[in-house]
Amino acid sequence: MMTSKTVITQFFKDLQDSICSELATEDGTGSFQEENWVREGGGGGSSRVMEGGRVFEKAGVNFSAVHGRLPEKIKQSFDVPKDEFYATGISLVLHPGNPYVPIVHMNLRYFELEDRLWFGGGIDLTPHYVNEAEARAFHLGLQAICDRHDPGYYTRFKSWADTYFFIAHRNETRGVGGVFFDRLQAKPGESISSIFEFVKELGLAFTGLYLPLVRTNSVRNFGAAEREWQLLRRSRYVEFNLVYDSGTRFGLETNGRTESILMSLPPLASWKYNIVPLAGSPEALTVSFLRKDIDWRRG
Amino acid sequence: MMTSKTVITQFFKDLQDSICSELATEDGTGSFQEENWVREGGGGGSSRVMEGGRVFEKAGVNFSAVHGRLPEKIKQSFDVPKDEFYATGISLVLHPGNPYVPIVHMNLRYFELEDRLWFGGGIDLTPHYVNEAEARAFHLGLQAICDRHDPGYYTRFKSWADTYFFIAHRNETRGVGGVFFDRLQAKPGESISSIFEFVKELGLAFTGLYLPLVRTNSVRNFGAAEREWQLLRRSRYVEFNLVYDSGTRFGLETNGRTESILMSLPPLASWKYNIVPLAGSPEALTVSFLRKDIDWRRG
C-alpha cells in the first residue's frame, strides 16, 4: 500500500480523536476543550486540553500538520539546498491528580524535506513514585512492539530515551524512560511504509500501555505528603521541558503557538530548597531509580 | 581609596548579612537557613533561604566568591589568551505570600579577568498586580541613584532591563523592569572604584526601595482568585528563568550548584491553559502593562 503524507496525517488526526475519546471515558467527568489554530507560514493544528478531571488534573493532546519553508534556525541543521517541508504529528502529556498515577508523554511525528522522509517520536513514563513491576510491564510492552518491526529497535531506542530524557543539572532521568527515536528513515530497498507501520503500532498501543496504570493507581489513597512530593517531581518535569526538551525549545524559538507548546507543563508545581528524602522512604527509593541504563525488563 | 577584590568581596558578604537581617526582621516569623558550599575549581559561597515565613513564602539570598580557570563555555565569549578569573557577587529573589506584594530580584556582581575588571547587575520588580504609583516610586528611586553617578545611566540601564527581562514567547516583560547592566568598566582615566561606588549604592538602597512595598501590601486582604493569579504569574517567572536568564542557564550548563541557582524558582506555580483575563479586570490591566518602553516615572 502506498503511504502518502495524506494517509499519515489522517492517521495522526484519527489517533488524536481516539486517544481523547478513551481518556475522556476513563476520566468520567472531564472533557477536552479544543482550539483549532492556523500557522502563518502554512498549515495548522488542533490543541485539546482537559483540566480538572476526576483522573486527569491536566491532559493535553495536540495534533498538527504544518508546511512551508523551513525556519532559518532549523534549516542550518540540514544540509539541503531547498527548504520546503511538511511535518505532521501528535504530542501528548498527561498530568494525573493522584500521585500514584505516573505522568506520561508521547510524541509521534512525520517529516518530509524534499525527497527525505522520516519519523521521530517517543513514549516515556514519569512516575512520582517508581513502581518496578509497572515499569517492567511498560518496557516489556514497548519491547514487544519494537521487536515486531526490528530486533534492534528496543535496545537502541530505550537507550536513546535514557540519554534524551535526562535532567543533567539534577543528574536524574526524567522518569523510568521508554523509547525515543529521531530521523528514522526506511532501510535501503524498503519504503517509508515500514517505519509508518511501527509508528502506527506505537500510537495505537498507547492507551493499552498507560490506562492500566491509571486504573490500578487512581483509586489509591494518598495524603498531603504524597501530594507535596508529586508537586516537587512536577517541578523537575518543568525543568526538563524548559531547559532541555528540543521540541519545546524549538517551538518557542521559532514562534510556535506558545499555549500549545507549553500545554505540557503541570497545573501546579512546587520548588522547595534542598529537598533530600528520608533514607529508606518511598521518595528516596524513587530518586534512586532515576538513572540511565536500568534494564527494567528484569523482574 | 584603593578598591581591591578583597574589599568588594567583603562588601557583598556584608550586604548579604544586612539584607537577610532586615528581611528576617520584616518577616517576623521566618528565618534564613544557611548552606556554605565549596566550588571544586576554587572558591565557594553561602546560600541563605527562608521558606514559609509570614511575609516571604520563599526568599533566597546567595553570596559567592569563586575563582580559577574560566569554564570553556564562557572562555569562548572573551577574546583573551589567559583564563584566570575571579568573580564575586550577591543574588536574591523574594517570593512573597501575598499576591499584592511584588516579586523582586537583585543581582550585583564583580568580575576580574586578568587586567579587565567590571561590574554587572540589576534590580527588577515583578508585581503580580501592577500598581502604577509603586512602579513610579521604584523607578524614581533607581533613577536618583543612577543620576548621582552618571546622568546617562538610568535611561541606558532601564532600557537594558526592558530588553533583558523579556519573555519573548509570551511577548511580555517579566514585570515593570528596573535597571540592568553588564561589563560595566571604569571610564578612561578613572578607576573601578567609581563603578564600585554605584554598585554599592544600589545594593545598600535595596531594602529601602523594596520594603515599603512589603509594608503597604502585605496587610491587604486577598482571596482565592488573587492567589490563583499569583501562581499563574509565578509560572511566567519560571519560564523566564529557565528559558532566558543567562545567569541561570550559564550556571546549569557549567555545573554550578543547582540548588543555589534554582533557589529563585517559586514555592508554588501554576500553568493553566490559554488564560485570558476578563476585559477591564485588574489582571487584564496588569498584562497590558507588561511591555517594553513604558516610562514609569510619569505619574
Side-chain angles (χ1 to χ4, degrees):
Chain A
M1 192 196 77
M2 181 63 190
T3 300
S4 68
K5 67 184 175 197
T6 314
V7 170
I8 296 168
T9 305
Q10 191 61 45
F11 170 76
F12 287 138
K13 186 87 198 75
D14 292 344
L15 186 61
Q16 185 194 33
D17 283 345
S18 66
I19 287 177
C20 286
S21 162
E22 282 194 73
L23 295 180
T25 301
E26 188 66 35
D27 191 87
T29 69
S31 60
F32 283 94
Q33 169 194 350
E34 181 179 64
E35 260 85 34
N36 293 301
W37 49 270
V38 171
R39 181 176 167 273
E40 215 172 292
S46 149
S47 295
R48 294 193 192 156
V49 178
M50 177 197 293
E51 290 177 305
R54 180 188 64 90
V55 170
F56 299 108
E57 196 174 326
K58 187 173 177 188
V61 186
N62 267 334
F63 160 80
S64 67
V66 301
H67 58 88
R69 305 191 60 183
L70 278 188
E72 197 51 42
K73 192 119 193 168
I74 200 181
K75 198 184 165 188
Q76 293 160 7
S77 72
F78 296 111
D79 176 28
V80 283
K82 300 184 179 174
D83 58 1
E84 287 293 317
F85 79 97
Y86 183 85
T88 183
I90 183 170
S91 175
L92 66 82
V93 173
L94 312 181
H95 287 285
N98 189 311
Y100 290 116
V101 183
I103 306 166
V104 74
H105 157 259
M106 176 173 78
N107 170 237
L108 299 171
R109 56 188 183 273
Y110 171 69
F111 203 84
E112 281 189 7
L113 183 63
E114 302 297 326
D115 59 345
R116 299 194 205 178
L117 322 174
W118 71 79
F119 284 93
I123 305 185
D124 78 299
L125 196 68
T126 306
H128 311 94
Y129 288 96
V130 171
N131 174 317
E132 287 177 272
E134 290 180 351
R136 180 168 188 260
F138 182 75
H139 275 273
L140 286 173
L142 289 171
Q143 183 180 18
I145 297 166
C146 288
D147 286 352
R148 280 196 283 278
H149 297 271
D150 187 309
Y153 274 178
Y154 174 76
T155 306
R156 196 171 139 213
F157 299 162
K158 188 276 183 193
S159 163
W160 202 338
D162 280 355
T163 305
Y164 184 81
F165 298 109
F166 186 68
I167 308 171
H169 63 268
R170 299 284 184 186
N171 196 27
E172 284 177 4
T173 52
R174 179 160 88 168
V176 299
V179 292
F180 183 87
F181 54 96
D182 202 6
R183 300 199 190 181
L184 191 61
Q185 297 182 287
K187 288 160 204 153
E190 293 191 359
S191 86
I192 193 71
S193 303
S194 59
I195 313 290
F196 183 41
E197 290 305 311
F198 169 59
V199 168
K200 269 197 335 206
E201 201 178 343
L202 274 179
L204 294 171
F206 172 76
T207 51
L209 287 167
Y210 180 65
L211 290 183
L213 304 179
V214 170
R215 287 176 197 134
T216 310
N217 294 305
S218 63
V219 294
R220 291 180 64 183
N221 291 320
F222 65 92
E226 289 77 23
R227 174 66 173 170
E228 188 179 316
W229 179 248
Q230 178 184 43
L231 302 187
L232 290 168
R233 294 319 306 170
R234 284 179 177 174
S235 73
R236 304 298 189 264
Y237 210 87
V238 172
E239 291 176 19
F240 177 81
N241 283 18
L242 294 181
V243 177
Y244 301 104
D245 186 61
S246 32
T248 303
R249 295 195 64 87
F250 174 75
L252 297 180
E253 285 167 8
T254 56
N255 212 10
R257 184 174 184 266
T258 297
E259 283 296 329
S260 298
I261 299 163
L262 298 186
M263 167 189 98
S264 63
L265 299 180
L268 204 61
S270 169
W271 280 266
K272 290 220 156 82
Y273 179 68
N274 231 3
I275 291 293
V276 182
L278 279 181
S281 66
E283 291 79 11
L285 186 67
T286 285
V287 172
S288 76
F289 281 129
L290 302 177
R291 53 183 211 276
K292 298 177 184 179
D293 300 326
I294 296 180
D295 187 347
W296 292 103
R297 296 168 305 172
R298 294 189 186 150
Chain B
M1 191 195 80
M2 181 62 190
T3 300
S4 67
K5 67 184 175 194
T6 314
V7 171
I8 296 168
T9 305
Q10 191 61 47
F11 171 76
F12 287 137
K13 185 85 200 75
D14 292 344
L15 186 60
Q16 184 194 33
D17 283 345
S18 65
I19 287 177
C20 286
S21 161
E22 282 195 73
L23 295 180
T25 301
E26 188 65 34
D27 191 87
T29 70
S31 61
F32 283 93
Q33 169 195 348
E34 180 179 65
E35 261 85 33
N36 293 301
W37 49 271
V38 171
R39 180 176 168 274
E40 215 172 293
S46 148
S47 296
R48 294 194 193 156
V49 178
M50 176 196 295
E51 289 176 305
R54 181 187 64 90
V55 169
F56 300 108
E57 197 175 325
K58 187 172 176 186
V61 186
N62 267 335
F63 160 80
S64 67
V66 299
H67 58 89
R69 306 191 60 182
L70 278 188
E72 197 50 42
K73 191 122 192 165
I74 201 180
K75 198 184 166 187
Q76 293 160 7
S77 73
F78 295 109
D79 177 28
V80 283
K82 299 185 179 173
D83 59 0
E84 286 293 318
F85 78 97
Y86 182 86
T88 183
I90 183 169
S91 174
L92 67 83
V93 173
L94 312 180
H95 288 285
N98 189 312
Y100 291 115
V101 183
I103 305 166
V104 74
H105 157 257
M106 176 172 78
N107 169 238
L108 299 171
R109 55 189 184 272
Y110 171 69
F111 203 85
E112 280 189 7
L113 183 63
E114 302 298 325
D115 59 344
R116 300 194 205 178
L117 322 174
W118 71 80
F119 284 94
I123 306 184
D124 78 300
L125 196 68
T126 305
H128 311 95
Y129 288 96
V130 171
N131 175 316
E132 287 176 273
E134 289 180 351
R136 180 169 188 259
F138 182 74
H139 275 274
L140 286 173
L142 289 171
Q143 182 179 20
I145 296 165
C146 289
D147 286 353
R148 280 195 282 278
H149 298 271
D150 186 310
Y153 274 178
Y154 174 76
T155 306
R156 196 171 137 214
F157 298 162
K158 188 274 185 196
S159 164
W160 202 339
D162 281 355
T163 305
Y164 184 80
F165 298 110
F166 186 68
I167 308 172
H169 62 269
R170 299 284 184 186
N171 196 28
E172 283 177 5
T173 52
R174 180 160 89 169
V176 299
V179 291
F180 183 87
F181 55 95
D182 202 6
R183 301 198 190 182
L184 191 61
Q185 296 182 287
K187 288 160 204 154
E190 292 192 358
S191 86
I192 193 70
S193 303
S194 58
I195 313 290
F196 183 41
E197 289 306 312
F198 168 59
V199 168
K200 267 194 341 204
E201 202 178 339
L202 275 179
L204 294 170
F206 172 77
T207 51
L209 288 167
Y210 180 66
L211 290 182
L213 305 179
V214 169
R215 285 175 198 135
T216 311
N217 294 304
S218 62
V219 294
R220 290 180 66 183
N221 291 322
F222 65 93
E226 289 76 24
R227 174 65 173 170
E228 188 179 317
W229 180 248
Q230 178 185 43
L231 301 187
L232 290 168
R233 295 318 307 170
R234 283 179 178 175
S235 74
R236 305 299 190 262
Y237 209 87
V238 173
E239 291 176 19
F240 177 81
N241 283 18
L242 294 181
V243 178
Y244 301 105
D245 186 61
S246 33
T248 302
R249 295 195 63 89
F250 174 76
L252 296 181
E253 285 167 7
T254 55
N255 213 9
R257 185 176 183 263
T258 297
E259 284 295 327
S260 298
I261 299 164
L262 298 185
M263 168 189 97
S264 62
L265 300 180
L268 204 60
S270 169
W271 280 266
K272 290 219 156 81
Y273 179 67
N274 231 5
I275 292 293
V276 181
L278 278 180
S281 67
E283 290 80 10
L285 186 68
T286 284
V287 172
S288 77
F289 281 131
L290 300 178
R291 52 183 212 275
K292 299 177 183 180
D293 300 325
I294 296 179
D295 187 348
W296 292 102
R297 296 167 304 171
R298 293 185 186 154

